[in-house]
Each structure stands twice: as C-alpha cells, then as structure tokens.
Amino acid sequence: MASPRKKTETAPVAEAPEPHMIDLVLQSLDDAKAEQTVAIDITGKSSLTDHMVVTSGRSNRHVSAVADQLVKSLREHGFGKPRIEGLPHADWVLVDAGDVIVHIFRPEVREFYNIEKMWAADFAADGR
C-alpha cells in the first residue's frame, strides 16, 4: 500500500520591495562612477521635485554615459522615461524623473554654476 502523501504548503514568496527612486538614482550614479554626488532633499522648498541630485562626470563622454545608465536603470525599474536636456553637448545634462531631478556636470561647468549651493541653502519658513 502506498504511503499517503502529505500536502505541503509553501509560503508565498515575498517579492523584494522596489527601491525608492532616490535610492535607485544614487545607486546608478555610484555604479556609473559619477563623482562628488550630492543629494539634496528639497521637499517643501520647491514644488518642482522632492530631491535634487548634483554629480560630476570626468569628461563629456563620461557625463553622457552616466546619464544613459541612469535613464536605463530608471526604465528597468518601472519609473518610465525621464525628460533629458543637454545630452548632445554633455557639459551639463539634466535628467528630470519627476520626484528626482539629476544634474550631471563636467567639473568646470559644475564649479561655474554651483547650483547645489543655492538649493542646499536653509530657506526660512514662509512665516515671516
């Protein structure tokens, strides 16, 4: 006589949670060897976005490659296709992914515009 088979229940496989967009952006920039990356939380300071990220590439080619890798990573993780400006010259590429805006500069251009200083300023609350 055959032994009765026990019905085994398997626990449902928990899917890993999708990363937050800012975490994905920072990881992608790190993977692409972007340099001097600064993430600024501007929630409440601007209605444009929640996070501003400023980073550098070593050359025009590196800036372009960092932007391409970032866009690919965002699309692969379901964040859609961000808007991109400045890719043909790649001195300053802006990647607007909605909740996160990324500025990728060549070092000389970044130093000239110094936008992270403006956005990192501690703005006073509206109550004057």
Side-chain angles (χ1 to χ4, degrees), residues 53-102:
V53 177
V54 182
T55 193
S56 297
R58 294 178 300 277
S59 65
N60 299 73
R61 183 174 283 190
H62 188 216
V63 167
S64 179
V66 169
D68 287 341
Q69 184 167 328
L70 175 59
V71 169
K72 181 180 176 188
S73 183
L74 287 166
R75 292 184 81 176
E76 285 175 352
H77 286 85
F79 289 111
K81 184 176 182 191
R83 291 180 297 274
I84 304 164
E85 298 289 332
L87 202 52
H89 298 292
D91 283 330
W92 175 2
V93 175
L94 178 126
V95 179
D96 182 352
D99 291 342
V100 180
I101 295 177
V102 182

Side-chain angles (χ1 to χ4, degrees), residues 6-26:
K6 288 185 179 179
K7 189 173 185 178
T8 57
E9 293 184 27
T10 57
V13 177
E15 293 184 27
E18 285 294 317
H20 292 283
M21 184 184 288
I22 185 65
D23 297 329
L24 179 69
V25 165
L26 295 174

